[in-house]
Amino acid sequence: MTDVEPPWAGLAQVGEYPYEETHDLRVGPDLHPALLGLLPLVGVWRGRGQGDYPTIEGFHYAQEIRFSHDGRPFLFYESRAWVIDVEGNPIKPSNRETGWWRPVLADGKATDEVEVLLSQPTGIMELYIGQAKGTTQWQMATDTVVRTSTAKEVRGAQRLYGIVEGALLYAFDLAAVGQPLQTHLSARLERVAG
């Protein structure tokens, strides 16, 4: 190995990240025009849901989902969930996922198709392809599921999101651990910010 200095050696330090991201359309960068079909999602949502699957005991959970943007043609998505008892008291942390919702563009304009890329700390990454029905419903199915050697076996999933009477509702169907595609999660989340 030679004693060659890296190209950044001796250069000035940089400041903190200079670009604003927001979940509140009243502040920050303008929403990219390609995101108008996803506009109702932008914000912070919180609520509760029910989970079940043949390989586990049913459970109640709370969840917070954040959709934000930085002016470019995609939404940043972050979800945090925690298991709760029937009264809503927290029991333990549960699933987390982060990713991106991207409208499919044709000739620079958004179509009714959407691509959703999600990553989970359990070693699973999913690519969903879906359709928007207006600006209040998004239905998608996995095109690809990638997992680490230590992650549980997941073959596919479907998700349906909808804005109903101002709330974000969703259903999540899963094909995993030798089970066919079936209902796994459903929740109702209220807008708490944005």
Side-chain angles (χ1 to χ4, degrees):
M1 203 157 183
T2 63
D3 289 341
V4 176
E5 277 196 15
W8 63 88
L11 298 178
Q13 292 293 320
V14 297
E16 65 183 60
Y17 188 72
Y19 302 101
E20 189 173 4
E21 180 174 298
T22 185
H23 62 269
D24 186 341
L25 296 170
R26 294 172 295 233
V27 298
D30 291 338
L31 188 75
H32 192 283
L35 293 177
L36 290 177
L38 299 174
L39 174 96
L41 294 170
V42 176
V44 179
W45 304 84
R46 191 177 306 130
R48 63 184 303 154
Q50 178 72 31
D52 202 3
Y53 209 65
T55 58
I56 60 173
E57 187 175 325
F59 59 95
H60 295 272
Y61 67 95
Q63 184 174 25
E64 182 177 278
I65 293 177
R66 177 182 307 262
F67 288 95
S68 57
H69 76 95
D70 65 4
R72 293 182 284 172
F74 53 80
L75 292 180
F76 174 64
Y77 165 89
E78 180 181 21
S79 169
R80 300 185 294 187
W82 55 103
V83 176
I84 58 174
D85 63 21
V86 176
E87 289 80 32
N89 299 308
I91 296 173
K92 64 180 181 177
S94 189
N95 192 48
R96 289 190 76 160
E97 56 187 16
T98 61
W100 310 97
W101 284 51
R102 300 165 19 109
V104 174
L105 304 178
D107 297 324
K109 295 185 181 183
T111 67
D112 63 353
E113 295 179 64
V114 63
E115 301 167 337
V116 177
L117 300 87
L118 301 177
S119 181
Q120 301 171 17
T122 54
I124 298 168
M125 294 186 300
E126 301 164 315
L127 167 60
Y128 288 88
I129 305 296
Q131 296 264 190
K133 293 186 180 176
T135 58
T136 59
Q137 186 178 350
W138 302 267
Q139 187 168 1
M140 60 195 71
T142 50
D143 183 60
T144 303
V145 176
V146 179
R147 60 189 178 92
T148 64
S149 62
T150 58
K152 71 179 177 184
E153 178 257 338
V154 174
R155 290 186 320 282
Q158 294 179 349
R159 296 184 186 216
L160 174 63
Y161 293 82
I163 306 287
V164 179
E165 297 176 354
L168 176 61
L169 279 64
Y170 77 87
F172 175 49
D173 296 344
L174 179 66
V177 293
Q179 300 295 314
L181 186 69
Q182 60 194 286
T183 300
H184 177 42
L185 303 171
S186 63
R188 177 185 175 92
L189 311 176
E190 301 293 332
R191 184 184 298 276
V192 296

